């Protein structure tokens, strides 16, 4: 039998999934708690039982989105291999995460753009700042691997900070046009991710 804790965890996950989809569909400002509750198939009271406000839900979705992408990508920074190979592996994992968790990725982007940064309480402002620092740390991992690649000769020497921003900006821009087709297989998604990364990382190859 499921414990009370497991039931609560499942309810929270369903709220986050529904909220991520709603924030992607409508934007933060146009999403209502009522809509999230309706998508979950629950009462508004259940949503407020787990979260104090809509912005707290937004922060929780942002947190989960960052957790998922970091868990998938960052271990690849330290596997054996030259910088180019690790950068390709990380970039591919990043795009696959985007494709498979598209709604969460959209929320992270909304936070980066400041779409939800309205009149925040000090606690919320501090939590958002902490999450933005995590995102900066994530970008720093890419910058480190880029630098490693320049040092080992597998990537050409460029401004590592600029290259990181250009690479991640273009990887993240996939969310502007990508939508999974109903019949699209996992193999097709992986093949598409590989093509995207080949185009973007190819410009950094050592000459």
């Amino acid at each position: 039998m499921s414990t009370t804790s497991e039931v609560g965890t499942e309810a929270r996950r369903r709220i986050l999934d529904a909220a991520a989809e709603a924030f992607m569909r409508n934007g933060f400002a146009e999403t209502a708690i009522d809509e999230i509750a309706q998508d979950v198939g629950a009462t508004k009271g259940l949503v407020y039982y787990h979260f104090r406000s809509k912005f707290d839900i937004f922060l929780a979705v942002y947190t989960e989105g960052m957790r998922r992408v970091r868990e998938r990508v960052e271990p690849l920074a330290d596997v054996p291999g030259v910088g180019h190979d690790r950068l390709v592996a990380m970039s591919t994992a990043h795009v696959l995460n985007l494709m498979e968790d598209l709604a969460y990725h959209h929320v992270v982007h909304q936070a980066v753009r400041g779409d939800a940064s309205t009149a925040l309480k000090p606690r919320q402002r501090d939590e958002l700042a902490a999450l933005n620092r995590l995102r900066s740390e994530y970008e720093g991992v890419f910058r480190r691997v880029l630098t490693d690649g320049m040092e080992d000769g597998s990537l050409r020497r460029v401004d590592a900070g600029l290259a990181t921003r250009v690479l991640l900006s273009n990887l993240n821009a996939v969310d502007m046009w990508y939508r999974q087709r109903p019949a699209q297989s996992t193999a097709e998604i992986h093949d598409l991710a590989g093509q995207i990364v080949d185009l973007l990382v190819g410009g950094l190859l050592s000459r």
Side-chain angles (χ1 to χ4, degrees):
M1 293 179 62
S2 298
T3 65
T4 302
S5 176
E6 289 171 339
V7 171
T9 299
E10 174 62 16
R12 191 177 189 277
R13 183 195 63 76
R14 288 169 53 216
I15 291 169
L16 293 184
D17 287 349
E21 292 288 343
F23 291 141
M24 178 175 71
R25 184 170 61 245
N26 306 326
F28 176 80
E30 298 302 319
T31 297
I33 295 288
D34 285 326
E35 181 179 0
I36 295 171
Q38 182 177 348
D39 290 347
V40 174
T43 65
K44 189 161 65 172
L46 177 65
V47 176
Y48 278 120
Y49 175 80
H50 289 279
F51 301 97
R52 285 182 276 185
S53 70
K54 184 174 71 170
F55 191 76
D56 287 311
I57 300 174
F58 185 88
L59 287 175
V61 174
Y62 185 177
T63 300
E64 178 63 11
M66 285 303 305
R67 183 194 68 78
R68 292 183 185 187
V69 71
R70 294 187 72 177
E71 187 176 79
R72 186 167 190 169
V73 173
E74 290 186 0
L76 300 173
D78 297 310
V79 299
V82 296
H84 168 264
D85 294 343
R86 286 182 284 142
L87 185 64
V88 166
M90 292 168 62
S91 299
T92 302
H94 181 92
V95 172
L96 286 172
N97 173 266
L98 180 157
M99 292 174 167
E100 294 165 8
D101 281 330
L102 190 60
Y104 281 88
H105 186 84
H106 264 276
V107 170
V108 172
H109 264 193
Q110 288 178 38
V112 172
R113 292 193 304 264
D115 293 357
S117 301
T118 52
L120 303 183
K121 297 176 181 178
R123 169 185 60 81
Q124 294 171 328
R125 190 177 298 108
D126 290 344
E127 290 180 22
L128 181 59
L131 285 168
N132 286 334
R133 285 194 295 272
L134 287 179
R135 182 182 53 79
S136 295
E137 290 173 9
Y138 178 72
E139 293 178 2
V141 177
F142 275 83
R143 187 166 54 251
R144 171 169 65 84
V145 173
L146 267 162
T147 302
D148 289 346
M150 288 186 280
E151 292 297 327
D152 65 35
S154 62
L155 297 173
R156 65 190 181 97
R157 289 193 173 275
V158 293
D159 182 312
L162 176 61
T164 300
R165 288 190 292 274
V166 170
L167 175 61
L168 283 173
S169 294
N170 281 278
L171 292 174
N172 290 333
V174 172
D175 73 359
M176 297 179 64
W177 55 265
Y178 175 78
R179 297 296 182 271
Q180 185 173 353
R181 302 190 309 273
Q184 192 172 25
S185 68
T186 300
E188 289 173 326
I189 294 172
H190 280 246
D191 180 64
L192 178 58
Q195 292 182 58
I196 292 167
V197 171
D198 182 60
L199 287 169
L200 295 177
V201 179
L204 292 168
L205 283 172
S206 179
R207 294 170 178 172

